[in-house]
Amino acid sequence: MNKVAIVEDNAVMRKSFRQWIDASPDFRCVFACATAEEALAEIPRLKPDVVLMDINLPGESGIACTARLKEALPEIQVIMVTVYRNQELIFQALQAGACGYLLKRSSPEELLKAIAEVRAGGAPMTSEIARRVVEAFQKKPASLTSAEGLTQRESEILALLSEGLSNKEIADRVAISYDTVRAHLRHIYEKLHVRGRTEAVKMYLNASNPSVPAISAPSL
């Protein structure tokens, strides 16, 4: 059973998300709140697997809350669920540690699929958000691949990873096996000196968008 927490200030939407999650046999909502302050007080104690995080919260923002949660619980997976399509906010959320970005008009099926995908190691995004991310770094800087010694195939897989594709989708896209994708990812992580896909994507986005400011997490 995958444990999910919700941080959403809209009471109607918070209730809907909770109902969708609890209606699934694979997920259970263990906590739901309206503010970052409540989230920071309870989520580290409850240790859910996935957090659905709104950006525009009263008081501290969802982006700042995400950064602080990732500092306290590095393994926690955060999916931003928001009305915002702003490119800068998307990058700030990813830099803060979010591993997915969905629009609030996503269907129950899309939301549950995103939670399952994130638990499987994916980085889910609605197609509209993924398109905006792709457009923002259509021309990947050569400095990242050349400086870190990535092969052409590894660079291709990193680019697809940054589009939010799962390992299986990457395998289908480049016509290689699932295990070969995993092997390439291990080599990418080693060469980039990162611990996993979220950090690799953040490095890729930072290299592609040096003008986007980094998020500093306030101390707990």
Side-chain angles (χ1 to χ4, degrees):
M1 182 68 68
N2 296 287
K3 299 186 296 181
V4 182
I6 302 165
V7 187
E8 167 60 61
D9 68 329
N10 183 299
V12 174
M13 190 152 286
R14 188 169 64 247
K15 181 180 179 181
S16 294
F17 288 167
R18 183 162 209 159
Q19 289 174 338
W20 297 350
I21 291 165
D22 286 339
S24 169
D26 299 321
F27 309 120
R28 179 168 62 92
C29 180
V30 295
F31 179 67
C33 67
T35 68
E37 290 72 21
E38 292 174 279
L40 292 167
E42 292 298 320
I43 288 177
R45 179 179 66 84
L46 295 169
K47 295 182 173 59
D49 302 300
V50 179
V51 178
L52 302 180
M53 178 74 68
D54 186 17
I55 284 184
N56 189 25
L57 297 171
E60 190 167 39
S61 75
I63 292 176
C65 182
T66 296
R68 295 180 64 181
L69 284 176
K70 291 295 289 186
E71 182 178 300
L73 301 168
E75 300 305 314
I76 201 167
Q77 304 294 301
V78 180
I79 301 174
M80 309 307 290
V81 187
T82 178
V83 297
Y84 294 105
R85 301 173 179 83
N86 180 280
Q87 256 179 21
E88 184 173 345
L89 285 178
I90 295 170
F91 287 123
Q92 287 181 358
L94 294 173
Q95 287 176 324
C99 55
Y101 199 106
L102 302 178
L103 295 177
K104 285 189 177 180
R105 56 185 172 81
S106 299
S107 67
E109 293 76 18
E110 289 171 330
L111 187 74
L112 295 175
K113 180 182 177 182
I115 297 172
E117 187 174 337
V118 108
R119 291 293 290 147
M125 295 183 190
T126 57
S127 57
E128 181 179 342
I129 294 299
R131 180 60 180 260
R132 287 176 180 267
V133 172
V134 171
E135 288 173 352
F137 53 87
Q138 282 290 341
K139 295 189 69 175
K140 184 181 179 304
S143 58
L144 181 61
T145 53
S146 60
E148 303 300 339
L150 299 185
T151 66
Q152 183 177 349
R153 176 66 85 189
E154 289 166 352
S155 299
E156 182 182 11
I157 288 175
L158 179 56
L160 293 172
L161 188 73
S162 300
E163 290 182 31
L165 272 64
S166 67
N167 290 3
K168 183 179 184 305
E169 289 170 328
I170 293 173
D172 292 341
R173 180 76 66 87
V174 297
I176 58 178
S177 72
Y178 179 88
D179 288 337
T180 301
V181 171
R182 293 184 63 186
H184 280 306
L185 288 176
R186 284 196 300 271
H187 296 152
I188 291 169
Y189 301 155
E190 289 171 3
K191 291 179 180 180
L192 297 182
H193 306 290
V194 297
R195 291 174 293 182
R197 62 198 303 129
T198 300
E199 290 185 10
V201 169
K202 284 163 64 178
M203 181 176 288
Y204 184 98
L205 296 178
N206 287 339
S208 303
N209 296 271
S211 61
V212 177
I215 300 294
S216 18
S219 57
L220 288 171

